[in-house]
Amino acid sequence: MCQAKQEEGLGIRNMHSMNKAYVMKLGWGIIHDNNNLWADVLRSKYVKTQDRIPQVQAKGKDSPLWKTICKVWPQVIEGLGWSVGNGVEVRFWKDNWLEGIGPLVQHALQDIPVENLNVSVANMESNIQWRWDFFAHLLPIQIIMVMASYPPSSTYHRGRFKLLV
């Protein structure tokens, strides 16, 4: 029944997959839509931090919608990345800003000092050049090579989230 009409099905979409996609879109809206009433209501009721990408958790008395959003939240986060812009708002170690790499802290060859975990991408560049001496010894050569082909931005627009799917 759920097969395409060309494959002699009825062309009905898989409802489980469609529901999951719609719920993930709601999760994206909680992170991205700052001017929507529904996102404001969910954030004010369930999200207790001001983090750009909050940690979410469902409790027993929460709404079924919120519980479902919490269930797909890891996949929502996995599909997020940053458009770096000027790099001021994007955390160098913790945010997913190098496409296909994920957060750099996951690839670090040794522990990153706690005071450096939240430095921005902008702090790791100077005059449109990477400040290699601050981080090159902490990352595998494969990632360094990716970064070498990705020079810091000279543009001054704000960073924003993007979907990586």
Side-chain angles (χ1 to χ4, degrees):
M1 224 168 38
C2 292
Q3 292 179 335
K5 290 180 182 178
Q6 297 90 329
E7 298 172 7
E8 298 183 13
L10 295 178
I12 298 172
R13 294 182 180 185
N14 182 302
M15 298 311 272
H16 177 73
S17 297
M18 292 304 298
N19 186 56
K20 184 175 180 180
Y22 288 130
V23 172
M24 289 177 74
K25 185 176 180 180
L26 292 174
W28 162 254
I30 289 170
I31 295 169
H32 191 264
D33 293 338
N34 292 327
N35 298 322
N36 283 347
L37 179 60
W38 70 265
D40 288 342
V41 168
L42 288 174
R43 273 192 301 270
S44 66
K45 182 166 180 149
Y46 298 112
V47 179
K48 303 302 179 201
T49 67
Q50 296 298 320
D51 295 340
R52 287 183 169 262
I53 304 175
Q55 298 295 317
V56 300
Q57 184 177 6
K59 297 181 182 109
K61 293 184 180 181
D62 290 344
S63 74
L65 173 62
W66 182 251
K67 289 177 183 177
T68 306
I69 290 172
C70 290
K71 196 179 289 186
V72 299
W73 193 255
Q75 292 161 307
V76 172
I77 301 305
E78 188 178 306
L80 287 178
W82 273 93
S83 173
V84 176
N86 62 10
V88 172
E89 297 179 28
V90 183
R91 296 175 301 179
F92 183 82
W93 293 107
K94 289 184 173 180
D95 290 332
N96 185 8
W97 60 275
L98 276 175
E99 199 164 328
I101 303 291
L104 292 178
V105 70
Q106 295 175 350
H107 303 281
L109 299 173
Q110 60 191 39
D111 289 339
I112 309 300
V114 175
E115 62 272 10
N116 293 338
L117 278 175
N118 290 316
V119 299
S120 69
V121 171
N123 290 121
M124 294 298 196
E125 63 95 9
S126 177
N127 298 324
I128 315 174
Q129 296 291 319
W130 288 116
R131 297 169 77 182
W132 297 109
D133 53 318
F134 286 118
F135 61 84
H137 62 287
L138 298 171
L139 292 169
I141 189 67
Q142 298 89 340
I143 293 176
I144 297 299
M145 291 174 66
V146 169
M147 291 182 69
S149 66
Y150 187 86
S153 176
S154 61
T155 60
Y156 291 100
H157 67 280
R158 292 183 61 191
R160 62 189 183 281
F161 290 112
K162 63 181 179 179
L163 290 174
L164 298 177
V165 289

